[in-house]
Amino acid sequence: MTEKQAEKLQLKIKKIKAALAADKRRWGGFYDDSSGRRYLPPQYYIKLEDWTGGLRYINWFYKNFPDDSGFPDFLFELAIILFKANKIERAEKTIFMAFCSNTYILDKFFGRPVIPMEKYQSSNIDVPEYLDDFSYSSKQKQFTHFSEWLAELASDKKFTEASGKFIEIQKLLLKEDDRELRSILLEKMRQLKREY
């Protein structure tokens, strides 16, 4: 990356931060951000390989949007930054959250066939098509160490058991019509995410 390209990315981050600050002022200390600007900076931090700046942004994001579950690709970007910033435990949890948002994301990253499953999908972000424009791949040289770590994590007992349970619950939810039982299953999904 040239110095000029890096400056352009830094300027993009600066403009996004300024727009978010203006949004907060406009709404009296709260954010509206219906345009989703808050999800854009991580990709730029990754391109810049600015892990310290990226980590600061993640901390700012969760301080200001504590209940925001994010999107699969956004969460995946956060996991890359956390891994590169040596925040391994947080990276593991964030990868699991990305997986729960879209159970096909690891297959897509590793270049494996993305085969749709018959399961409950909580939204349109939990479908294979959502990842059509997913730009990260284990074949990219800059992600060699991250890919090795992620492959090891994905085959780890804790991850395989938790991800297996998550998909099992989604399959049960697809066929379950009883509202009370659905509530119990949905709570089990939330509990899996909390406890991972």
Side-chain angles (χ1 to χ4, degrees):
M1 178 181 299
T2 67
E3 196 175 316
K4 203 163 202 171
Q5 288 170 322
E7 283 173 9
K8 278 185 180 179
L9 292 175
Q10 288 162 344
L11 184 60
K12 281 184 181 186
I13 293 169
K14 193 175 179 181
K15 284 182 177 179
I16 291 165
K17 286 181 175 180
L20 286 167
D23 186 57
K24 187 176 183 179
R25 283 192 303 275
R26 181 177 178 207
W27 298 103
F30 298 96
Y31 292 94
D32 171 46
D33 190 32
S34 51
S35 63
R37 285 185 190 100
R38 65 190 179 276
Y39 302 118
L40 300 175
Q43 64 185 304
Y44 304 132
Y45 285 113
I46 290 168
K47 286 176 184 172
L48 289 165
E49 297 186 6
D50 178 3
W51 314 123
T52 304
L55 188 58
R56 273 196 306 269
Y57 185 80
I58 291 170
N59 293 334
W60 172 88
F61 178 87
Y62 283 116
K63 181 182 176 189
N64 288 282
F65 302 96
D67 299 324
D68 194 322
S69 56
F71 291 93
D73 44 352
F74 173 75
L75 292 167
F76 198 88
E77 289 167 342
L78 298 189
I80 291 170
I81 293 167
L82 289 164
F83 172 79
K84 294 283 193 173
N86 208 29
K87 303 292 181 186
I88 306 303
E89 197 173 307
R90 284 178 71 188
E92 286 179 15
K93 184 164 181 62
T94 306
I95 278 293
F96 186 70
M97 297 306 288
F99 171 84
C100 292
S101 293
N102 187 307
T103 55
Y104 307 101
I105 199 162
L106 297 186
D107 288 333
K108 181 75 173 179
F109 179 72
F110 286 111
R112 299 188 291 246
V114 176
I115 302 164
M117 288 182 261
E118 274 196 55
K119 63 184 180 68
Y120 168 76
Q121 305 193 149
S122 56
S123 71
N124 64 347
I125 64 171
D126 188 19
V127 294
E129 296 78 21
Y130 179 83
L131 299 170
D132 284 349
D133 297 323
F134 186 70
S135 61
Y136 301 102
S137 165
S138 60
K139 291 179 175 65
Q140 293 168 292
K141 281 187 180 179
Q142 71 189 96
F143 301 129
T144 301
H145 297 303
F146 175 76
S147 300
E148 290 166 359
W149 168 79
L150 185 52
E152 195 175 309
L153 174 68
S155 61
D156 178 75
K157 185 181 177 188
K158 180 183 175 186
F159 189 90
T160 54
E161 284 182 2
S163 59
K165 282 180 190 172
F166 188 83
I167 290 172
E168 186 183 312
I169 293 168
Q170 284 185 312
K171 288 179 177 179
L172 291 170
L173 276 166
L174 182 66
K175 296 173 182 172
E176 187 56 68
D177 294 325
D178 184 280
R179 288 181 75 174
E180 195 174 323
L181 289 174
R182 284 185 68 78
S183 292
I184 291 167
L185 290 169
L186 288 167
E187 178 52 34
K188 282 186 177 182
M189 283 174 74
R190 287 189 287 271
Q191 187 178 352
L192 263 176
K193 291 181 195 177
R194 281 193 305 267
E195 292 177 356
Y196 187 88

